[in-house]
Amino acid sequence: TTTQIGNLTTTQVKALTSTQLGAMTTAQFGAISTTQIGALTTTQIKSLSVATISVINTSQLTGLTSTQIGALTTTQLTSISTLNLGTLSTTQLDGLTASQVEVITVAQFGALNTVQLGSLSTTQVKSLSTTDIVAITTSQLTGITSTQIGALTSPQIVSLSAGIVASLSTTQFTGLTSTQVGAFVTTQIQALTTAQLGTFTTTQFKGLDTTDVASFLTSQIPALSATALDVLSATQISAFTAAQIAEMNTTQLAALFN
């Protein structure tokens, strides 16, 4: 009975076979305490049915260790409710493997708060699906560090909406590599704010391709620093349109054609 299951010692819980655990009803599993759950081996964790994982309550969830979290199959992980995933501690999230992070659903990703997102390792960040990246909110974005931003792959960068790109803080923006900047598409380039354009490093600016250069709005040109313009190659310079050059001041022009 559920009462008997709830009275099992951790030693007895560890003795349960995968077959026994897999056959547990959701009601029986619901009687297991956080201490008992924390005693389960990784092999036992893997044997839990999807139906069981899907009804695990928030109290029980706190009993899972990061090692146990990391032992969940991808099918088990995606069956965790958005409410429960949103309650995982940063220590528990640290247990997620790259393969697990890859399958996090959009709904589950949407449940993660700024503290949880900020705790993800660069390896975990790189494993996020582009579908999840597309769904990131401005609120979630505030929890992401410049180091995490710098870990995003080119496909992930392209997946960022223009609105999210424009919402990057100047600190986050400095985390972008030249390769990432070079991956920007026209809508992303044209979404850059005056503050962001002013923080462009020479290394980042070198990463712009000719399409990027030509896509700057004339209203953005005055925000480009002379220092950044000074490092552009002849090929990049040739991409500027007459309308863009017309918006440059004497200091910018001197840096461009020195």
Side-chain angles (χ1 to χ4, degrees), residues 30-105:
I32 292 180
S33 69
T34 55
T35 301
Q36 290 172 315
I37 283 182
L40 294 173
T41 66
T42 53
T43 300
Q44 288 176 311
I45 290 291
K46 290 178 184 292
S47 69
L48 295 174
S49 69
V50 169
T52 296
I53 294 293
S54 66
V55 296
I56 190 172
N57 59 54
T58 53
S59 177
Q60 291 175 314
L61 196 66
T62 60
L64 289 173
T65 66
S66 59
T67 301
Q68 290 173 313
I69 293 288
L72 292 170
T73 66
T74 52
T75 304
Q76 287 175 317
L77 183 68
T78 54
S79 70
I80 295 177
S81 70
T82 54
L83 175 64
N84 281 340
L85 198 71
T87 62
L88 289 176
S89 69
T90 55
T91 300
Q92 289 174 311
L93 283 175
D94 186 55
L96 290 174
T97 65
S99 297
Q100 289 174 314
V101 173
E102 284 177 8
V103 300
I104 289 177
T105 66

Side-chain angles (χ1 to χ4, degrees), residues 106-164:
V106 171
Q108 289 176 318
F109 183 74
L112 296 177
N113 60 42
T114 55
V115 175
Q116 290 173 311
L117 286 174
S119 73
L120 296 178
S121 68
T122 53
T123 299
Q124 290 174 317
V125 168
K126 287 180 180 179
S127 301
L128 289 169
S129 70
T130 53
T131 307
D132 287 337
I133 296 295
V134 168
I136 193 171
T137 66
T138 51
S139 176
Q140 289 177 311
L141 185 67
T142 61
I144 296 177
T145 67
S146 58
T147 301
Q148 290 173 313
I149 291 291
L152 293 171
T153 64
S154 292
Q156 288 175 317
I157 288 291
V158 174
S159 297
L160 293 170
S161 70
I164 288 297

Side-chain angles (χ1 to χ4, degrees), residues 21-22 28 33 160 168 244-245:
L21 285 168
Q28 290 174 320
S33 69
L160 293 170
L168 289 171
Q244 289 173 317
I245 292 176

